C-alpha cells in the first residue's frame, strides 16, 4: 500500500513547528594555535616612580609617574605637583603638560633606566630617569 506524500509532509511540518526552529550552532571559542609563542615579559615604565638622574633644564629631584590610566604626575620636593596626561604614540609617547602636547621618544628602557627625549618648544629635552627607590649616589655613576 502506498502512503500519499501529503500526510508525510504534514507530519514533518507539524513536528518542525512544534519543536521550533533548529537551534543555532554554538559559537566556537577562539583559541590560539598551540604553536603561538608565549608573550615575552617586557620592562614597563608604567605605574613606577621615576626620579630624574640627568637632564638639561629639568631639576634632578623631580619625580615622574606614568599611571596606567594615562595620568602623568610630575612633582619635586621644591615645586608644585603637575598633573598631565600621557599616551602611547607609535614607538614613543605623547605627553601633555599644562595643556601642551609634546611628542616624546623612548630612547631606552631597562629595569634600571628610562631615557626619553621630549620635543618641547625650542630644543628637545633628553631626560634620564631611574627608579626613585634607587640610591641617588648610584644614579650618578
Amino acid at each position: 500500500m502506498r502512503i500519499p506524500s501529503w500526510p508525510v509532509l504534514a507530519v514533518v511540518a507539524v513536528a518542525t513547528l512544534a519543536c521550533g526552529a533548529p537551534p543555532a550552532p554554538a559559537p566556537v571559542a577562539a583559541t590560539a594555535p598551540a604553536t603561538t609563542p608565549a608573550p615575552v615579559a617586557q620592562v614597563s615604565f608604567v605605574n613606577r616612580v621615576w626620579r630624574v638622574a640627568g637632564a638639561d633644564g629639568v631639576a634632578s629631584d623631580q619625580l615622574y609617574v606614568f599611571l596606567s590610566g594615562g595620568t602623568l604626575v610630575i612633582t619635586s620636593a621644591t615645586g608644585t605637583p603637575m598633573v598631565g596626561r600621557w599616551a602611547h604614540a607609535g614607538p614613543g609617547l605623547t605627553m601633555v603638560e599644562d595643556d601642551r602636547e609634546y611628542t616624546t621618544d623612548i630612547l631606552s628602557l631597562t629595569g634600571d633606566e628610562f631615557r626619553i627625549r621630549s620635543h618641547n618648544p625650542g630644543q628637545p629635552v633628553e631626560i634620564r630617569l631611574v627608579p626613585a627607590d634607587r640610591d641617588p649616589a648610584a644614579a650618578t655613576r
Side-chain angles (χ1 to χ4, degrees):
M1 175 170 136
R2 185 168 186 257
I3 301 176
S5 60
W6 68 268
V8 173
L9 290 176
V11 170
V12 170
V14 169
T16 301
L17 291 174
C19 295
V28 176
T31 57
T35 58
T36 301
V40 177
Q42 295 183 6
V43 175
S44 178
F45 61 91
V46 180
N47 294 331
R48 294 183 67 185
V49 180
W50 297 93
R51 184 179 46 76
V52 174
D56 290 332
V58 179
S60 63
D61 69 335
Q62 281 192 336
L63 301 175
Y64 280 67
V65 184
F66 298 83
L67 296 173
S68 60
T71 298
L72 170 64
V73 179
I74 302 173
T75 190
S76 72
T78 59
T80 303
M82 191 283 306
V83 177
R85 296 183 316 276
W86 74 274
H88 287 283
L93 305 171
T94 297
M95 293 172 46
V96 180
E97 301 174 24
D98 296 325
D99 292 326
R100 284 179 252 154
E101 188 173 296
Y102 306 115
T103 301
T104 304
D105 305 321
I106 296 175
L107 302 176
S108 70
L109 175 60
T110 67
D112 295 327
E113 179 182 78
F114 181 32
R115 285 189 26 232
I116 58 176
R117 180 183 303 122
S118 181
H119 296 274
N120 303 350
Q123 294 296 321
V125 176
E126 189 169 320
I127 304 169
R128 181 175 166 256
L129 302 161
V130 296
D133 58 355
R134 186 171 161 188
D135 175 16
T140 59
R141 291 183 215 158

